[in-house]
């Protein structure tokens, strides 16, 4: 069995969930988020692109409803013992199979929480689910229950994230010797992802982001490659991933002579990240962290060039994104607390000057100051 944690770790997570369900008076939960299933049982698959559901009862018993392709996957990677299958066939409606399963579990008329806010439950399947459950019991949205439990990392999870951070550092180390005139972006990507794989890591939950020249101002991956010029800019955003736990980093690298605008934007990004680090402590909120970033950007005259969020939580995530909740944005009341793994990114994009600057790394919160998980410093990288 390919479990990445001790059974006692999974037992402790189950017990935390059972307590939370009791507080919310939930007789059962229907889990559709792959992150929830992985956190609770170790179940590791991309089969959540199809209909599947992990039913958790108030006493902690669990039943997985999935397809035949994931039967052995669940047996091999998880602690789940009771696995039921719905059959691929013309006109199949697995929501009917789920309703029948819930009836077999004596949950008719009960209060049931559903994870609606997840890529594991499409709008199409969500509508079919609601059609089957509207007269079955009292259905409530419980999307935030497990994400909040996952926000606080156990010692074993911190070990995974620390390893992921080392892999992210390795990826940058592999990239830097290649950042020079005439090198294709694809070669840089290959070196970075290869370093993660060679170090025992995984595919990240979303693509690495790479862009040079005008494309250095983009914050998302896109298809297509170019070769670096003598005087160029290269933006990279990537993550080390170990057993699906992520540690992200972000840098804009300058080739050749550093322009005045690049230097100005770098100094603002560095100052903002230092301010964010100072605010990333117990007693502050996620909104306070964003405000610290925004004040520095305003002081540098860069309010219109910044984004409306400057980071987010990280953890074990699956496609299509390594971003986790909560995020650093204005007014977010979520308190900063120890044992969170948080990615802070300073992104400044001056479209008029076609100049980009980014700076970001992952932190572990503590009882005091947040601890950077990267071994790299915050100096401007010039090649």
């Amino acid at each position: 069995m390919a479990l990445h944690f001790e059974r006692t770790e999974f037992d402790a997570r189950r017990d935390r969930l059972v307590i939370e369900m009791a507080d919310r008076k939930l007789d059962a939960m229907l889990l559709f988020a792959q992150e929830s299933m992985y956190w609770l049982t170790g179940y590791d698959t991309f089969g959540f692109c199809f209909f599947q559901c992990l039913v958790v009862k108030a006493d902690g018993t669990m039943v997985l409803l999935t397809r035949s392709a994931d039967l052995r996957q669940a047996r091999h990677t998880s602690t789940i013992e009771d696995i039921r299958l719905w059959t691929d066939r013309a006109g199949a409606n697995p929501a009917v199979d789920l309703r029948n399963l819930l009836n077999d579990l004596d949950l008719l008329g009960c209060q049931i929480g559903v994870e609606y806010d997840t890529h594991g439950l499409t709008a199409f399947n969500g509508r079919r689910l609601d059609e089957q459950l509207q007269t079955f019991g009292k259905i409530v949205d419980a999307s935030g229950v497990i994400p909040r439990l996952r926000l606080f990392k156990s010692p074993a999870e911190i070990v995974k994230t620390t390893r992921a951070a080392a892999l992210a550092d390795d990826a940058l180390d592999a990239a830097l010797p290649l950042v020079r005139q005439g090198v294709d972006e694809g070669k840089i990507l290959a070196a970075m992802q290869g370093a993660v794989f060679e170090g025992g890591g995984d595919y990240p939950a979303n693509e690495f982001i790479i862009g040079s020249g005008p494309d250095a101002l983009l914050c998302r991956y896109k298809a297509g490659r170019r070769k670096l010029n003598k005087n160029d800019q290269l933006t990279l955003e990537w993550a080390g991933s170990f057993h699906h736990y992520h540690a992200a980093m972000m840098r804009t690298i300058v080739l050749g002579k550093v322009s005045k605008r690049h230097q100005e934007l770098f100094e603002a990004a560095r100052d903002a990240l230092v301010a964010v680090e100072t605010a990333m402590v117990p007693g502050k909120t996620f909104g306070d962290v964003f405000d610290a970033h925004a004040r520095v950007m305003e002081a540098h005259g860069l309010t219109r060039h910044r984004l409306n969020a400057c980071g987010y939580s990280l953890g074990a995530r699956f496609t299509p994104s390594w971003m986790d909740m909560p995020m650093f944005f204005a007014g977010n009341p979520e308190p900063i607390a120890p044992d969170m793994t948080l990615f802070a990114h300073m992104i400044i994009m001056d479209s008029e000057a076609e100049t980009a600057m980014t700076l970001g790394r992952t932190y572990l919160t503590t009882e005091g100051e947040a601890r950077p998980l990267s071994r790299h410093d915050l100096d401007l990288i010039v090649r």
Side-chain angles (χ1 to χ4, degrees):
M1 185 172 291
L3 293 177
H4 301 307
F5 294 96
E6 298 293 332
R7 287 278 186 152
T8 53
E9 176 88 4
F10 290 115
D11 291 344
R13 296 175 187 179
R14 179 203 60 213
D15 292 345
R16 289 172 63 196
L17 177 59
V18 166
I19 292 170
E20 189 67 24
M21 290 172 65
D23 289 344
R24 294 169 180 258
K25 297 180 171 55
L26 295 176
D27 299 298
M29 280 188 64
L30 306 185
L31 307 186
F32 290 94
Q34 185 58 43
E35 292 82 6
S36 294
M37 300 184 202
Y38 181 76
W39 178 81
L40 190 60
T41 72
Y43 181 36
D44 190 351
T45 182
F46 63 76
F48 63 92
C49 59
F50 298 97
F51 188 101
Q52 68 172 3
C53 179
L54 180 63
V55 182
V56 184
K57 296 184 68 175
D59 63 1
T61 60
M62 292 177 275
V63 183
L64 175 68
L65 178 67
T66 189
R67 299 167 64 243
S68 59
D70 277 300
L71 173 62
R72 291 164 187 82
Q73 194 85 7
R75 286 176 176 169
H76 187 66
T77 66
S78 81
T79 61
I80 304 168
E81 296 180 356
D82 192 347
I83 305 169
R84 316 285 180 92
L85 302 179
W86 65 269
T87 304
D88 296 285
R89 62 189 182 279
N93 184 353
V96 173
D97 297 83
L98 179 56
R99 177 191 170 104
N100 292 337
L101 172 59
L102 297 177
N103 191 59
D104 292 343
L105 295 174
D106 295 323
L107 290 171
L108 181 64
C110 291
Q111 180 155 285
I112 300 173
V114 179
E115 284 189 325
Y116 284 106
D117 188 11
T118 171
H119 301 287
L121 184 64
T122 64
F124 176 76
N125 281 329
R127 291 181 65 181
R128 296 206 291 184
L129 177 71
D130 288 343
E131 288 170 359
Q132 293 301 316
L133 298 185
Q134 60 183 344
T135 61
F136 186 85
K138 183 178 180 181
I139 308 303
V140 298
D141 188 342
S143 301
V145 174
I146 292 184
R148 177 150 183 82
L149 296 176
R150 291 177 49 248
L151 176 59
F152 306 97
K153 305 303 189 290
S154 69
E157 290 178 296
I158 291 171
V159 169
K160 305 287 189 188
T161 306
T162 301
R163 179 61 185 144
L167 293 175
D169 283 333
D170 292 345
L172 180 57
D173 289 341
L176 290 180
L178 301 174
V179 180
R180 60 181 185 272
Q181 181 182 1
V183 174
D184 192 281
E185 292 174 350
K187 189 171 184 178
I188 297 170
L189 276 180
M192 296 180 76
Q193 187 64 80
V196 174
F197 286 152
E198 289 175 10
D202 306 304
Y203 286 109
N206 60 257
E207 301 90 343
F208 287 3
I209 297 162
I210 186 169
S212 58
D215 291 343
L217 280 73
L218 302 181
C219 299
R220 297 286 184 265
Y221 173 85
K222 69 169 188 63
R225 304 280 183 267
R226 70 184 287 273
K227 293 183 178 180
L228 301 179
N229 293 325
K230 180 179 180 181
N231 293 298
D232 214 333
Q233 56 184 352
L234 174 69
T235 294
L236 299 170
E237 184 177 13
W238 72 102
S241 178
F242 185 73
H243 295 166
H244 295 293
Y245 285 81
H246 290 74
M249 295 180 68
M250 196 169 192
R251 291 287 191 278
T252 296
I253 302 169
V254 178
L255 281 74
K257 185 178 179 181
V258 180
S259 70
K260 179 181 177 182
R261 191 56 171 161
H262 273 124
Q263 187 64 41
E264 291 172 348
L265 298 188
F266 168 73
E267 290 174 4
R270 181 197 57 207
D271 292 350
L273 188 56
V274 170
V276 160
E277 292 178 7
T278 302
M280 203 184 295
V281 294
K284 300 288 187 178
T285 67
F286 276 66
D288 292 332
V289 172
F290 175 81
D291 291 344
H293 141 272
R295 283 193 296 270
V296 173
M297 294 299 179
E298 182 178 9
H300 283 266
L302 296 171
T303 298
R304 68 192 182 99
H305 298 304
R306 65 162 172 81
L307 301 185
N308 293 322
C310 68
Y312 41 82
S313 177
L314 288 171
R317 289 285 290 177
F318 288 75
T319 304
S321 175
W322 66 54
M323 293 187 288
D324 218 343
M325 291 295 174
M327 299 183 73
F328 298 130
F329 54 69
N332 189 340
E334 180 68 42
I336 300 292
D339 300 328
M340 296 176 172
T341 49
L342 307 176
F343 174 49
H345 58 63
M346 306 300 106
I347 299 176
I348 312 171
M349 302 303 185
D350 184 344
S351 296
E352 289 82 1
E354 287 195 342
T355 304
M357 185 53 59
T358 66
L359 190 62
R361 60 185 178 183
T362 299
Y363 297 84
L364 173 67
T365 58
T366 71
E367 296 286 352
E369 296 179 353
R371 177 167 67 88
L373 294 181
S374 172
R375 64 176 177 262
H376 284 273
D377 58 33
L378 298 180
D379 293 341
L380 176 62
I381 302 176
V382 183
R383 308 301 292 176

